[in-house]
Amino acid sequence: MHGSISNKKKQDLRAKDLAHKIHREMYDIYRGYKYVPMGEASSLMIPVTVGCDYSRCKFCDLNHDLPFRIVEPDKLEKILSLQSEFYTLRERKPKRAVLLHANPFALSGKRLLEISALVRRYLPFVENFGCFSRVDAVLAKGQDELRQLKAAGFDSLTLGIESGSDKVLSLQDKGVTVAKTRTALEKLRQAGIRYSFYIVLGLGGEDLSAEHQEETAKLINSSQPEEVFFLSLVMFKNAVLVKELRAGNFKRMRPLDCMQEAASIIEKIKIPLIVNGSHKNNIFSFKGRLPEQKELLLEKLYAEIAAYSENEAFKRDVRRWKYWPNE
Ligand code: SF4
């Protein structure tokens, strides 16, 4: 009995030590800037790329301090080996893995297949994979390549769609059009790869808000994502958009108006999906399954909007994003 307790203790200490080493290795690569799609929060993180290979969207400075690069194969294997040992000491093992970082799907199909095989060699319990992807990373792959990736476990992607309006995409220099987005989504559908969207509320500013709502709802209705994540626009300190704002070329929407924009898009959605507005960028959280919870969700959303005074919304925004008062 005493022997088994002390073995358990030893195992726990070893697991703690391994978790610490994994954390250190990850920090060495990403410092404080590690992020994954909201829907992949409980997936095992696999470090394959750092930053974004595009890095031109005006509203984004997520990868400001981390220029794009591919994680060195030795480093990747070192972390996989630590993760492998860690999970031999744990009963619960993750079945799903998420590749980091902003656009790992930009890697060639061949490299992604190699990575999935490598992950399975070290972590045979991993069954499938997800990651963020830009639309052009999907377009760059052939239909057969996508089918092979699906067979290798890439069963769903999270796409930073941001808006269904070409005007908004162009304003923000997103580098893709809605037509290209539609083609990419069709390719994914044919390959049997599911997808979810990130949509940024307030991305068109005051001038393009109506267009952003209308066109985004149209895109959602015609493309059937599984889940749509809504995030309010944040003025990141180093984003190009800040300069546009200061020059008077972009009129930022108030936090409450972003919530109003969410409600208006949800009103227009006619297909079954999950609406997820639980991101911390939003001044309040909302989530529900459509169509069953549409009415309830909208009721709650409008009640929250009505209950929030501009002053409260402003204060909360300031607390979260200290940059706001300097605008
Ligand atoms: S929004 Fe996404 S695609 Fe655009 S620069 Fe940022 S990380 Fe890259």
Side-chain angles (χ1 to χ4, degrees), residues 35 52 54-57 59-60 62-63 102 134 162 174:
Y35 54 82
C52 174
Y54 181 70
S55 282
R56 270 176 34 205
C57 300
F59 64 96
C60 173
L62 276 181
N63 310 290
R134 277 180 55 82
E162 334 295 13
K174 184 72 198 175

Side-chain angles (χ1 to χ4, degrees), residues 30 113 146 164 239 272 291 318:
Y30 296 103
L113 291 170
L146 289 172
V318 170

Side-chain angles (χ1 to χ4, degrees), residues 215-284:
E215 297 305 315
T216 301
K218 260 192 221 162
L219 179 66
I220 292 171
N221 282 329
S222 59
S223 53
Q224 310 215 310
E226 290 211 311
E227 187 160 359
V228 176
F229 299 97
F230 287 101
L231 294 71
S232 299
L233 177 71
V234 164
M235 299 304 294
F236 287 113
K237 199 163 91 185
N238 296 300
V240 174
L241 192 60
V242 172
K243 288 193 195 102
E244 306 256 352
L245 184 91
R246 291 199 166 133
N249 301 331
F250 182 79
K251 290 187 210 115
R252 186 188 176 180
M253 288 180 59
R254 298 169 309 169
L256 268 178
D257 291 339
C258 289
M259 296 297 93
Q260 186 64 52
E261 212 173 57
S264 158
I265 296 173
I266 295 166
E267 294 256 21
K268 295 177 177 63
I269 297 178
K270 297 186 177 77
I271 56 160
L273 50 66
I274 297 170
V275 160
N276 190 334
S278 61
H279 195 277
K280 65 177 181 178
N281 283 12
N282 299 329
I283 51 167
F284 47 78

Side-chain angles (χ1 to χ4, degrees), residues 97-111:
V98 57
L99 308 191
L100 300 178
H101 206 200
N103 187 26
F105 211 64
L107 295 177
S108 69
K110 182 169 169 281
R111 182 62 190 141

